[in-house]
Amino acid sequence: MTNSRNSFGSKDTLTVGDKQYEIFRLDAVPNTKRLPYSLKILLENLLRNEDGVTVTAQQVEALAGWNAKDVGHSEIQFTPARVLLQDFTGVPCVVDLVAMRDAMDDLGGDPQQVNPLIPVELVIDHSVIADSFGRPESAKINADLEFERNRERYQLLRWAQHAFDDFVVVPPDTGICHQVNLEYLARVVFGADHKGDDIPQAYPDTLVGTDSHTPMVNGLGVVGWGVGGIEAEAAMLGQPVSMLLPEVIGLKLVGELREGVTATDMVLTVAELLRKTGVVGKFVELFGPGVANVPLANRATIGNMSPEYGSTVTIFPIDDETLDYLRFTGRSPERVALVEAYAKAQGLWHDPDHEPEYSHVVELDLGSIEPSIAGPKRPQDRIPLAIAKRTVEQLLADPAASVTELTALDDAIDDTFPASDPFLGEEDMFEPAGAVRERRVDDEPVQWPSNEQTLTIRGTDTRIDNGDVVIAAITSCTNTSNPSVMIGAALLARNAVQKGLKSKPWVKTSLAPGSRVVTDYFERSGLTPYLDELGFNLVGYGCTTCIGNSGPLPEEVSTAVDAGDLTVASVLSGNRNFEGRIHQQSRMNFLASPPLVVAYALAGSMHVDLNRDPLGTGTDGDPVYLKDIWPTTAEIKEVVDSCVEARMFTEGYSDVYAGDDNWNSLPVPEGDRFDWDDASTYVRKPPYFDGMGIEPDPLHDIVGARVLAKLGVSVTTDHISPAGAIKRSSPAGQYLTEHGVEPRLFNSYGSRRGNHEVMIRGTFANIRLRNQLLAEANDGAGVEGGFTRVLPGGEQTTIFEASEEYAAKGVPLIVLAGKEYGSGSSRDWAAKGTLLLGAKAVLAESFERIHRSNLIGMGVLPLQFHDGESADALGLDGTETYSIVGLEGQDDVPREVTVRVEPDDGEAREFTATVRIDTPTEREYYRHGGILQYVLRQRLAE
């Protein structure tokens, strides 16, 4: 329980039933009823945590006085109630905390001071790989392989569960962190589980999570967003999250969803509207009379996709739908009663007639949009289903073509999340919308390049070509948390099987739900055999294909793809499809709803117009079209109502921390200090604290730096720190081979984030990275992959080998980049690897929020070109020598620095750049060399 100074006299009690709770009343602070829901949550957080030092009365006053139209630059310190981790980001968090314990001991402190001060919940969901598929035993095979590959990592996590306080681990093969969070972990209001004799404290559930899709829980009225692992570690150690008061956009919902519109249809509509509005880095809050008509699963889908349209949170307030979902998912009556009473007492209950003050209000009449998919390289490139076949063929004919131009979509909605579902049960659902009819005046065939390859697979002689689908995966929390679209996919599978259709033999099919509840209701509905018949057997409970754990293609397909250098496709129900992410042999990756994933498995190709072309021939000899097997809304609702029950959630989560025999057979090391194994290829002691002193070093200019990579626009964290397979020929593959690891046990980059030696070699190693230093070296042709050259001059080499050569010469490095640098998943290793390669600064046109924060957290200086300036506009080709001047001798980090550029054979010149260290707290982190060093010194001084 926190000890607030209670400067505003807000401490009070709340009686719920026969139980009393301590609360901090918001109405004790004048003029707060007008505040948006999300800011009320932050205000309560400040009141409860006011200590006069970190959280002050001035911060409370600044938030209470929030000006919707001019939010100003007031900084507050937000203290999340808990931290959510997944294992890819969780393992390096634990590794860093263990290293901090060692450093604390080395500096004369108490290692036990490095311990989580708030609940930390880690869900192991990113490590299962779909190696086996299409077989009844696939899930068991994949689970066993997962343990074989990850034993060292899981031993570390089991040790952490015993060595750290308030640290729990949801074992493998349970579910995806966001879905488990929604269905089980989220409290909405803390206090119902209190066991002591003292009066419990009731307060809103808040969190930060080490995954950018953490806002999925916003659908439950829980304030939470994605941060890098570095920020999460600090939060675990009691360090508040420093933030500027945000703008809050109000999205007013009116009307009702029309019959048959699905969750991802609504996401697309919302995303279109919010991209036009401009919500990057802002809070979005839904309100109005239409809110009550949005099911919780749809709310969660909208929250989940916040990163795709750029908002920090996209939150729904608490209402009757929230309470119904809590009951539906088996939460206790005590919790439901507390949530209702607390929300109503604190003005957090949704009143459709009350409109808080917002920075901007947008209204949406809940309606419908045309069916869509998205791709082939970005989640924001939406393609209406009616023109998908033609668009794909145009892209095959001209890979450099713009999806936006080909689809004639409004440029204002670029960067939206697509992957809409078709309408369910509408008579004209497969007819293109009016705007598309206007675009379809030209139906002349597109001359796309064909290069058919023959193969024999599963006893069938067949052939594949450019544009064919080789992966169809129902995966990712985005959709598998929604029973309606999942039952819709299963019913479509049933209808297809009854018509006599089969998935094409070259398609790798998989089902990876976000929780065991999904397979429970599939079983109860009797639909599992139909999914199995089409090859959508369970492969495991985890993220799988969406994060690059799609596993190998069948050897026959893989050989044919390579032999013909084919451009083949994957279709998945996920939320990310960046280059090189899904599978190295799949150059086109499309996001779609679960029913459409099944449909494309039946079609086997992107050359099929699902609106007009048959999916195959039925047993009666007649062609079968998608509209013939698409289930109606009434069918889906009937199955959901009869087969999905609260007891499935209570039973499914009753032993959520127990684990299976593999998990429980792992030995648990003793002691509060981890015993590092120098021979381990998974867990190694990182060098972040090597040579660290009790006081921070003074700031220094960065002099004589060379450019490690010159990158273009929209370089994602997938490009910087890929999570896919490790190639044998790569520097990381060579390292593992040298350490006796067989290629079959390489696992993925993501699974080896606890070993900095592997991850350094994987940084900037994405096969689709385009380093413009090599474009210069190859007459503008460019080279794909993790390559660069050592300047001046220099032959092509890997980025890792170049960094070693520069380090041997004592040459600091920088990275040049374009707009939206670091967008995508919140991977802390994108910043850690940048630092360990020797980069002292990144100079970009703009940064993604989390990655910028992570760079600061690792002591890397984020610099931004002034508006209208860029590397190209300034005539910088990256071959020059760079010095960043203005840091030397400064007590504080300056707002701007001078960048001095010296060509190898030309005249030196200078320009100024903005230092993107935006808050006083961030400046302290950078001054200390990183957030971990700052926290360690703070703890040492206590």
Side-chain angles (χ1 to χ4, degrees):
M1 184 179 293
T2 57
N3 293 310
S4 171
R5 297 184 73 170
N6 196 28
S7 298
F8 298 85
S10 60
K11 186 185 292 187
D12 200 357
T13 58
L14 173 70
T15 301
V16 183
D18 60 356
K19 199 168 185 179
Q20 206 171 45
Y21 298 87
E22 178 183 283
I23 67 170
F24 287 80
R25 288 195 175 272
L26 297 174
D27 56 13
V29 182
N31 200 31
T32 54
K33 183 179 179 180
R34 65 185 181 86
L35 291 177
Y37 172 87
S38 53
L39 294 190
K40 289 180 179 179
I41 301 289
L42 295 182
L43 178 62
E44 190 282 339
N45 197 276
L46 295 180
L47 289 171
R48 181 165 37 88
N49 291 287
E50 184 206 353
D51 60 2
V53 180
T54 303
V55 179
T56 64
Q58 288 74 25
Q59 292 178 37
V60 175
E61 291 166 352
L63 180 48
W66 178 80
N67 184 336
K69 302 302 180 183
D70 181 15
V71 298
H73 300 283
S74 297
E75 181 187 15
I76 63 171
Q77 303 295 324
F78 164 61
T79 307
R82 59 190 175 97
V83 173
L84 178 70
L85 308 174
Q86 39 95 333
D87 58 307
F88 270 15
T89 49
V91 167
C93 280
V94 173
V95 167
D96 291 351
L97 292 185
V98 175
M100 284 183 74
R101 279 195 171 181
D102 290 350
M104 178 68 80
D105 193 39
D106 294 341
L107 292 171
D110 179 6
Q112 285 293 337
Q113 285 187 287
V114 179
N115 202 69
L117 298 180
I118 58 175
V120 179
E121 295 148 341
L122 186 150
V123 182
I124 300 176
D125 63 351
H126 275 51
S127 295
V128 61
I129 299 175
D131 289 284
S132 176
F133 71 100
R135 299 163 61 185
E137 62 274 19
S138 288
K140 176 67 165 60
I141 292 171
N142 293 331
D144 289 345
L145 284 171
E146 179 185 355
F147 266 92
E148 180 184 0
R149 292 172 175 137
N150 296 288
R151 178 173 294 272
E152 292 179 41
R153 299 170 66 234
Y154 294 171
Q155 279 183 307
L156 171 71
L157 295 179
R158 287 212 70 191
W159 172 84
Q161 197 169 15
H162 290 81
F164 291 122
D165 297 335
D166 271 336
F167 186 96
V168 297
V169 178
V170 176
D173 209 29
T174 303
I176 297 174
C177 65
H178 308 304
Q179 192 162 340
V180 174
N181 193 23
L182 189 75
E183 295 176 352
Y184 179 73
L185 296 174
R187 284 76 156 175
V188 186
V189 175
F190 267 83
D193 298 327
H194 183 76
K195 303 298 183 186
D197 295 330
D198 56 323
I199 181 172
Q201 200 173 66
Y203 54 94
D205 183 7
T206 57
L207 74 151
V208 290
T210 56
D211 192 291
S212 54
H213 294 97
T214 298
M216 182 169 178
V217 79
N218 295 166
L220 266 179
V222 175
V223 170
W225 59 82
V227 297
I230 303 156
E231 287 179 291
E233 292 166 29
M236 290 159 62
L237 295 168
Q239 187 69 20
V241 176
S242 173
M243 60 183 294
L244 297 175
L245 290 179
E247 289 185 50
V248 183
I249 307 300
L251 178 55
K252 185 175 184 178
L253 300 183
V254 298
E256 295 186 35
L257 291 170
R258 58 177 285 196
E259 171 73 9
V261 174
T262 66
T264 34
D265 287 319
M266 186 176 180
V267 169
L268 178 54
T269 305
V270 169
E272 277 186 312
L273 190 57
L274 294 181
R275 271 297 175 180
K276 289 179 181 178
T277 305
V279 298
V280 175
K282 303 175 185 179
F283 284 16
V284 173
E285 197 166 296
L286 292 97
F287 73 103
V291 165
N293 300 321
V294 182
L296 204 292
N298 294 28
R299 299 181 185 190
T301 307
I302 291 170
N304 182 294
M305 300 313 302
S306 295
E308 275 60 54
Y309 44 84
S311 63
T312 303
V313 300
T314 307
I315 196 163
F316 285 78
I318 296 170
D319 62 2
D320 285 320
E321 175 66 18
T322 314
L323 302 184
D324 288 344
Y325 183 82
L326 292 176
R327 296 186 190 98
F328 174 67
T329 50
R331 265 61 168 223
S332 70
E334 293 80 12
R335 181 171 304 285
V336 177
L338 175 60
V339 169
E340 180 176 11
Y342 184 87
K344 289 179 176 178
Q346 291 282 59
L348 297 173
W349 186 265
H350 180 238
D351 177 358
D353 297 322
H354 171 64
E355 182 171 319
E357 291 183 17
Y358 290 112
S359 303
H360 182 63
V361 174
V362 186
E363 185 169 306
L364 174 63
D365 186 357
L366 295 176
S368 61
I369 58 171
E370 58 194 314
S372 299
I373 61 173
K377 297 177 181 179
R378 303 189 306 172
Q380 61 262 36
D381 290 332
R382 183 173 69 87
I383 304 173
L385 191 62
I387 58 171
K389 172 179 181 288
R390 182 175 185 82
T391 302
V392 170
E393 290 174 351
Q394 288 174 309
L395 289 170
L396 289 172
D398 179 11
S402 163
V403 175
T404 301
E405 292 178 4
L406 292 176
T407 56
L409 292 177
D410 188 343
D411 286 342
I413 63 167
D414 191 24
D415 290 337
T416 61
F417 172 70
S420 168
D421 303 306
F423 305 134
L424 306 181
E426 295 288 335
E427 290 184 2
D428 62 345
M429 66 180 179
F430 295 106
E431 289 297 318
V436 178
R437 289 194 186 98
E438 294 172 9
R439 292 197 293 266
R440 293 195 61 171
V441 294
D442 179 14
D443 273 344
E444 290 296 317
V446 176
Q447 298 302 311
W448 55 275
S450 174
N451 187 22
E452 279 191 337
Q453 300 294 308
T454 59
L455 69 156
T456 301
I457 184 168
R458 302 175 194 169
T460 301
D461 293 332
T462 187
R463 57 189 64 199
I464 62 173
D465 205 341
N466 291 314
D468 283 345
V469 174
V470 295
I471 291 174
I474 299 175
T475 180
S476 168
C477 53
T478 314
N479 284 298
T480 65
S481 61
N482 190 323
S484 293
V485 293
M486 295 299 284
I487 290 293
L491 286 172
L492 189 144
R494 181 201 66 184
N495 297 342
V497 169
Q498 290 176 346
K499 288 282 189 179
L501 298 184
K502 295 181 180 295
S503 297
K504 294 298 185 287
W506 58 82
V507 181
K508 180 172 184 175
T509 47
S510 61
L511 168 67
S515 80
R516 292 176 174 271
V517 175
V518 177
T519 46
D520 287 345
Y521 62 65
F522 277 166
E523 287 289 338
R524 184 170 183 188
S525 65
L527 294 172
T528 300
Y530 301 105
L531 288 163
D532 291 349
E533 181 71 19
L534 296 184
F536 286 95
N537 302 75
L538 178 71
V539 297
Y541 300 93
C543 299
T544 62
T545 305
C546 193
I547 59 159
N549 286 357
S550 51
L553 296 177
E555 186 176 348
E556 302 90 337
V557 176
S558 177
T559 300
V561 170
D562 285 345
D565 191 24
L566 297 181
T567 298
V568 291
S570 70
V571 180
L572 63 149
S573 65
N575 47 35
R576 292 281 163 84
N577 60 342
F578 300 129
E579 287 185 288
R581 180 185 181 99
I582 304 305
H583 193 283
Q584 292 191 0
Q585 289 181 291
S586 176
R587 297 179 187 170
M588 305 181 95
N589 304 291
F590 296 94
L591 305 182
S593 64
L596 282 183
V597 171
V598 176
Y600 273 109
L602 298 170
S605 179
M606 302 304 299
H607 295 294
V608 175
D609 183 340
L610 296 185
N611 288 352
R612 303 192 296 181
D613 298 338
L615 294 171
T617 302
T619 50
D620 58 5
D622 292 334
V624 179
Y625 296 87
L626 183 58
K627 64 182 179 181
D628 299 331
I629 60 173
W630 196 270
T632 66
T633 304
E635 287 179 290
I636 293 172
K637 186 177 187 303
E638 181 182 358
V639 174
V640 171
D641 290 347
S642 63
C643 297
V644 187
E645 296 181 342
R647 67 171 182 82
M648 292 180 171
F649 294 90
T650 53
E651 292 173 2
Y653 286 111
S654 62
D655 59 350
V656 67
Y657 302 116
D660 60 11
D661 291 341
N662 282 327
W663 177 256
N664 291 312
S665 66
L666 290 172
V668 182
E670 299 291 334
D672 60 6
R673 296 278 301 278
F674 186 70
D675 186 15
W676 301 101
D677 180 0
D678 291 339
S680 174
T681 58
Y682 273 104
V683 178
R684 301 291 293 271
K685 183 177 179 179
Y688 311 131
F689 306 104
D690 291 355
M692 175 183 164
I694 294 177
E695 295 296 329
D697 294 332
L699 296 177
H700 293 291
D701 291 340
I702 301 168
V703 179
R706 286 291 187 172
V707 174
L708 182 63
K710 179 175 182 285
L711 307 171
V713 300
S714 297
V715 171
T716 70
T717 50
D718 286 71
H719 289 106
I720 306 167
S721 177
I726 300 172
K727 292 181 67 174
R728 188 172 190 168
S729 59
S730 69
Q734 293 170 9
Y735 167 87
L736 292 173
T737 301
E738 290 167 2
H739 284 74
V741 180
E742 300 176 35
R744 71 180 184 86
L745 296 177
F746 276 5
N747 213 333
S748 64
Y749 281 111
S751 68
R752 293 190 180 271
R753 287 184 184 178
N755 183 350
H756 60 280
E757 296 288 0
V758 171
M759 296 307 294
I760 296 170
R761 291 161 172 80
T763 305
F764 295 109
N766 187 292
I767 60 171
R768 301 300 176 210
L769 184 79
R770 295 175 183 86
N771 184 354
Q772 294 172 13
L773 286 179
L774 294 173
E776 291 292 329
N778 292 279
D779 298 324
V783 173
E784 287 189 329
F787 302 100
T788 191
R789 53 190 175 122
V790 178
L791 300 168
E795 299 295 322
Q796 177 176 310
T797 186
T798 67
I799 283 177
F800 171 72
E801 290 166 336
S803 74
E804 285 198 311
E805 191 170 334
Y806 280 125
K809 297 175 181 177
V811 176
L813 301 172
I814 66 169
V815 175
L816 296 180
K819 295 178 180 178
E820 300 172 357
Y821 182 74
S823 57
S825 302
S826 53
R827 293 190 188 159
D828 58 329
W829 255 105
K832 288 179 176 178
T834 299
L835 171 76
L836 294 179
L837 285 172
K840 304 297 184 183
V842 176
L843 177 56
E845 292 178 60
S846 65
F847 290 90
E848 190 275 338
R849 174 183 62 88
I850 298 175
H851 185 60
R852 182 191 64 82
S853 174
N854 280 345
L855 289 172
I856 297 167
M858 291 310 299
V860 177
L861 186 67
L863 301 176
Q864 190 162 313
F865 289 104
H866 290 173
D867 289 346
E869 294 183 348
S870 66
D872 290 341
L874 293 171
L876 309 176
D877 63 19
T879 63
E880 309 89 350
T881 300
Y882 291 73
S883 294
I884 297 164
V885 181
L887 300 169
E888 195 82 31
Q890 298 293 319
D891 293 329
D892 196 2
V893 183
R895 301 288 185 181
E896 286 194 335
V897 291
T898 298
V899 181
R900 184 175 300 143
V901 183
E902 300 178 52
D904 292 334
D905 54 355
E907 188 173 336
R909 53 202 173 101
E910 296 181 349
F911 61 93
T912 57
T914 302
V915 177
R916 283 302 315 278
I917 297 180
D918 298 345
T919 69
T921 303
E922 287 179 346
R923 290 197 286 277
E924 280 297 291
Y925 292 160
Y926 181 75
R927 197 175 65 82
H928 278 261
I931 193 170
L932 300 181
Q933 291 85 345
Y934 172 81
V935 172
L936 184 57
R937 290 187 177 109
Q938 294 292 106
R939 288 320 231 355
L940 195 62
E942 291 177 357

